[in-house]
């Protein structure tokens, strides 16, 4: 699975896909606050999962924004991402784009770290398996065909 899938696409409910993304079961097992009916619990769990995903994504984007000037190797990038996530989780509330202020205490921080680990491993594997492709030579004035 690619890091973009983990950070930008909606995460499936582990009850819907028990074999896939087994690490999501941790969040499914934790009861949502309140304790309403089953439908309400599913909605609350999806909201919490989405908020955690947005938080991890924000930390990732902060590390990417620094990458232009820092030029970090993959391991150093992952460490910077980890530090950004730790700083966000240490705050009482975080203003997440598209979410507004989110109270960190209401989130599952263990799930945030697990999502970071999964996305970081996916990124590391993508970097390790990336293969350079030769560019086609283009002469001055020649149109590049895509």
């Amino acid at each position: 699975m690619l890091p973009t899938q983990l950070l930008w696409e909606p995460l499936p409910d582990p009850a819907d896909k028990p074999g896939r993304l087994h690490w999501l079961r941790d969040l499914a097992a934790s009861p949502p606050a309140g304790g309403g009916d089953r439908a309400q619990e599913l909605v609350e769990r999806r909201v919490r999962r989405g908020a955690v995903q947005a938080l991890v994504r924000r930390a990732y984007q902060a590390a990417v924004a620094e990458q232009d000037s820092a030029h970090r190797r993959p391991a150093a990038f992952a460490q910077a991402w980890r530090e950004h996530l730790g700083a966000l989780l240490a705050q009482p509330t975080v203003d997440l784009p598209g979410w507004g202020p989110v109270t960190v205490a209401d989130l599952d921080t263990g799930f945030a770290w697990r999502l970071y680990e999964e996305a970081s491993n996916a990124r590391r594997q993508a970097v390790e398996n990336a293969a350079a492709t030769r560019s086609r030579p283009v002469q001055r004035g020649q149109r590049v065909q895509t």
Side-chain angles (χ1 to χ4, degrees):
M1 181 167 270
L2 294 173
T4 53
Q5 292 171 303
L6 291 169
L7 297 178
W8 274 272
E9 292 180 8
L11 295 172
D13 193 322
D16 296 339
K17 301 188 186 242
R20 189 168 178 234
L21 301 175
H22 59 85
W23 53 273
L24 284 172
R25 278 189 230 130
D26 297 341
L27 185 65
S30 61
D37 62 24
R38 171 101 170 110
Q40 183 64 29
E41 288 178 12
L42 289 174
V43 169
E44 288 177 16
R45 198 168 29 235
R46 285 185 181 141
V47 168
R48 285 179 39 227
R49 199 167 44 238
V52 167
Q53 190 179 27
L55 187 75
V56 175
R57 181 174 51 240
R58 179 163 178 202
Y60 176 80
Q61 289 171 323
V64 167
E66 296 173 348
Q67 189 66 4
D68 284 340
S69 60
H71 302 291
R72 296 182 180 106
R73 310 263 316 145
F77 176 88
Q79 183 59 34
W81 181 8
R82 176 181 268 293
E83 290 168 5
H84 282 291
L85 181 57
L88 288 173
L89 290 172
Q91 297 177 21
T93 61
V94 178
D95 190 20
L96 295 174
W99 287 85
V102 173
T103 305
V104 174
D106 292 341
L107 300 179
D108 186 339
T109 56
F111 178 67
W113 286 115
R114 185 68 179 154
L115 180 58
Y116 159 79
E117 289 296 329
E118 291 294 328
S120 182
N121 287 336
R123 183 180 185 278
R124 181 185 47 75
Q125 289 175 357
V127 168
E128 289 173 357
N129 295 325
T133 57
R134 273 187 89 115
S135 59
R136 294 178 293 203
V138 177
Q139 295 187 12
R140 188 178 179 115
Q142 184 181 7
R143 291 188 67 170
V144 177
Q145 296 179 359
T146 56

